[in-house]
Amino acid sequence: TRLDPTGAAIVTDGNVRPYAVKVAKAIKRVGLKTSIHAIPASERSKSMTQLQDVLSFLERQQIDRGGCVIAVGGGTVGDLAGLAAAIWQRGVRLVAVPTTLLAMVDSSIGGKTGVNGRRSKNAIGAFWQPSAVISDLSAIETLPIPSYRDAFAEVVKYAVAMDKGLFDLLQRNGPRLVERDAAMLERVVFRCVAAKALIVAKDERDRGPRAILNYGHTAGHALEAATGFRVTHGRAVAFGMRVAARIALALDLCSKRTVDSQDELLDAFGLPDKPPHADPKRVLAAMALDKKARRGKVAWVMPRRIGHAEIGHSVPAPVVRRVVTRSLA
Ligand SMILES: NC(=O)c1ccc[n+]([C@@H]2O[C@H](COP(=O)([O-])OP(=O)(O)OC[C@H]3O[C@@H](n4cnc5c(N)ncnc54)[C@H](O)[C@@H]3O)[C@@H](O)[C@H]2O)c1
Ligand SMILES: [Zn+2]
């Protein structure tokens, strides 16, 4: 695909600026002008204030409807720059250059962009698909260990919920992946992207089957909220998958072997590294809040067997209470 843009504006964050500089050099080599805007590296940068700054940058760079925005960074940069691309001139092209493993396997795919509201995560956003996603695995080398490890929660999520082949690959190659073996990582990233793209193609606007990507996120989000986000997303999702599988077992929806193999795989990637410290009551309360938002119904994603999960299960409250309380003991 040739993009042939009339201009290119690069958005990045302070930590990954060197990667953005490389991208800028490559763009200049083909005779196109470009410039870099670096936001502070923080989730707090997903704000209306930073969005305004990015839009002003695009204005200064005179990005017209033939131009494009290039997001070089993790999910934070991708979500913010993606939203700016979605609304600048009513939409200009977006190229994602993810530099975290999470962004490569998850956030750069699927077209969800956005910033946070004052109190609510990802409250302001748009669906805006990138014209291209360019993942250079060499960027992973400089990624801090916790960020690398956390991304495997989403990787295991794809494997358990929809890709048995990926599960087997992960099982056989845990140590190589922990060592960040590039060839193995490439296979894993490829399969995750394929899995996500398949679902998104069926349900871009997230009104049906895309909900399968929420596997592990029901209890996971509640744990994040209940701990004031001290437990990171990846760890929380790992916890959430352990909870979901135990609920599925209690409801006779999956076998004990399924629960055990998922546990073993999460253990192999150090997820979570230790059991999360949280008051079960708070976690359950956070889940109830989530519930109100969706008219009193939590739709659980339940694993039936490795590689296959189902959406839209309702679970009796006492079962949830029992499993969450035990999982936090
Ligand atoms: N749009 C979606 O579908 C989607 C999906 C999942 C998550 N997200 C969003 O993504 C965000 C999290 O993204 P993330 O996990 O990529 O984190 P991030 O973008 O916040 O990056 C984490 C940290 O790592 C640094 N970093 C990035 N790449 C690096 C590299 N190669 N070497 C060294 N340091 C590097 C960053 O500067 C930052 O300090 C959240 O805001 C979340 O809501 C969006
Ligand atoms: Zn997630």
Side-chain angles (χ1 to χ4, degrees):
T1 337
R2 286 185 68 88
L3 291 170
D4 280 332
T6 52
I10 301 172
V11 180
T12 191
D13 76 31
N15 293 337
V16 288
R17 201 188 168 94
Y19 294 115
V21 169
K22 273 195 194 169
V23 173
K25 280 187 183 147
I27 291 173
K28 284 175 187 157
R29 237 177 277 137
V30 298
L32 200 66
K33 267 202 323 195
T34 189
S35 182
I36 297 172
H37 174 78
I39 61 164
S42 158
E43 173 73 22
R44 279 196 300 272
S45 285
K46 278 176 52 173
S47 66
M48 290 301 287
T49 314
Q50 291 295 335
L51 177 65
Q52 177 66 65
D53 284 358
V54 174
L55 293 170
S56 302
F57 166 65
L58 301 183
E59 188 167 46
R60 283 196 307 278
Q61 295 307 307
Q62 300 177 326
I63 297 298
D64 61 23
R65 302 215 45 206
C68 81
V69 173
I70 304 175
V72 182
T76 303
V77 168
D79 282 10
L80 173 68
L83 178 56
I87 59 179
W88 177 249
Q89 303 290 332
R90 299 200 183 83
V92 296
R93 284 168 301 171
L94 170 70
V95 173
V97 183
T99 61
T100 64
L101 183 57
L102 180 99
M104 291 181 191
V105 299
D106 189 355
S107 64
S108 68
I109 311 296
K112 284 190 183 176
T113 72
V115 297
N116 300 323
R118 286 231 172 80
R119 269 187 288 270
S120 33
K121 194 161 153 69
N122 297 332
I124 307 150
F127 288 98
W128 193 248
Q129 297 294 344
S131 299
V133 178
I134 301 164
S135 294
D136 180 349
L137 287 165
S138 69
I140 300 298
E141 284 168 26
T142 57
L143 198 62
I145 289 171
S147 165
Y148 182 75
R149 187 169 48 195
D150 270 26
F152 275 93
E154 307 288 354
V155 173
V156 172
K157 174 191 82 177
Y158 293 121
V160 174
M162 50 191 297
D163 188 348
K164 167 90 163 58
L166 175 59
F167 193 93
D168 297 341
L169 187 75
L170 294 172
Q171 239 180 358
R172 284 196 308 271
N173 296 286
R176 273 180 80 182
L177 286 163
V178 171
E179 297 296 322
R180 307 193 188 192
D181 179 288
M184 192 48 64
L185 259 178
E186 185 172 342
R187 289 176 67 183
V188 167
V189 170
F190 184 88
R191 283 197 89 112
C192 292
V193 168
K196 184 159 182 185
L198 189 77
I199 284 294
V200 172
K202 284 189 196 151
D203 178 22
E204 186 180 3
R205 297 285 157 130
D206 202 4
R207 308 211 189 277
R210 189 165 175 169
I212 200 167
L213 300 174
N214 271 339
Y215 176 51
H217 284 60
T218 305
H221 280 152
L223 178 65
E224 282 183 276
T227 58
F229 295 88
R230 268 184 299 104
V231 175
T232 60
H233 182 69
R235 261 144 248 236
V237 170
F239 165 80
M241 289 189 285
R242 291 182 198 258
V243 166
R246 280 164 176 73
I247 290 176
L249 177 64
L251 299 180
D252 246 342
L253 291 168
C254 80
S255 69
K256 176 82 167 52
R257 243 191 78 206
T258 299
V259 179
D260 291 344
S261 0
Q262 176 182 272
D263 277 356
E264 281 159 27
L265 195 59
L266 289 169
D267 289 345
F269 291 110
L271 283 164
D273 48 353
K274 48 185 185 302
H277 256 304
D279 179 353
K281 285 206 188 77
R282 284 197 169 194
V283 176
L284 291 163
M287 227 180 276
L289 273 182
D290 215 26
K291 192 154 64 175
K292 254 184 235 145
R294 287 176 225 159
R295 279 200 236 135
K297 266 195 208 150
V298 177
W300 285 82
V301 183
M302 296 276 94
R304 298 301 309 267
R305 57 180 183 274
I306 295 299
H308 181 74
E310 275 170 11
I311 64 172
H313 279 271
S314 60
V315 178
V319 177
V320 176
R321 207 178 309 130
R322 195 174 68 230
V323 172
V324 167
T325 307
R326 271 195 205 153
S327 303
L328 287 168

